[in-house]
Amino acid sequence: MAEFQSVAEVKKMRSGINLKAEVKSKGDSRTVNLKTGGTVDVCDAIISDGADDMKLTLWGDDIKAVSVGDTVVITNGYTNEFKGEVSLTKGKFGKMEINPQ
């Protein structure tokens, strides 16, 4: 199993992120236009590793799959920064597990 980083470490990273955290809150979903055409639903959640919080961006089917109180494990995720705020997402090549055993 990959070693997990802390939220503090993840905020300084760009890719190859492995993080285990609890979902503290989840906003409303919104529909955004894709550069490639079409639309997709997106939602921001706040996750915490117990020491720090950060934003997790959920896309498509992941929005309904994740609930407040769930533990999420992101493998090979990446971050981006928008308006000075760092946000984590699983991306195309990453994986997200919900409440792993």
Side-chain angles (χ1 to χ4, degrees):
M1 183 72 201
E3 284 291 314
F4 294 119
Q5 288 102 13
S6 68
V7 167
E9 291 171 309
V10 165
K11 286 181 178 179
K12 298 177 186 132
M13 297 173 65
R14 285 288 160 237
S15 62
I17 293 167
N18 300 310
L19 178 69
K20 182 176 185 177
E22 182 182 344
V23 179
K24 294 294 188 182
S25 65
K26 189 172 144 184
D28 294 328
S29 65
R30 60 196 184 280
T31 303
V32 295
N33 295 317
L34 297 171
K35 292 178 192 172
T36 56
T39 60
V40 67
D41 288 334
V42 64
C43 171
D44 294 322
I46 301 298
I47 57 173
S48 174
D49 64 1
D52 281 305
D53 295 351
M54 82 177 301
K55 185 160 64 171
L56 171 67
T57 303
L58 301 167
W59 297 87
D61 293 339
D62 289 341
I63 296 169
K64 288 187 179 82
V66 172
S67 300
V68 172
D70 284 347
T71 297
V72 293
V73 174
I74 305 286
T75 309
N76 197 30
Y78 73 93
T79 62
N80 51 36
E81 193 171 328
F82 183 68
K83 294 185 179 175
E85 186 175 28
V86 177
S87 166
L88 174 65
T89 188
K90 77 173 187 184
K92 192 186 298 186
F93 303 107
K95 187 172 125 185
M96 181 171 64
E97 293 177 84
I98 302 163
N99 297 320
Q101 297 302 319

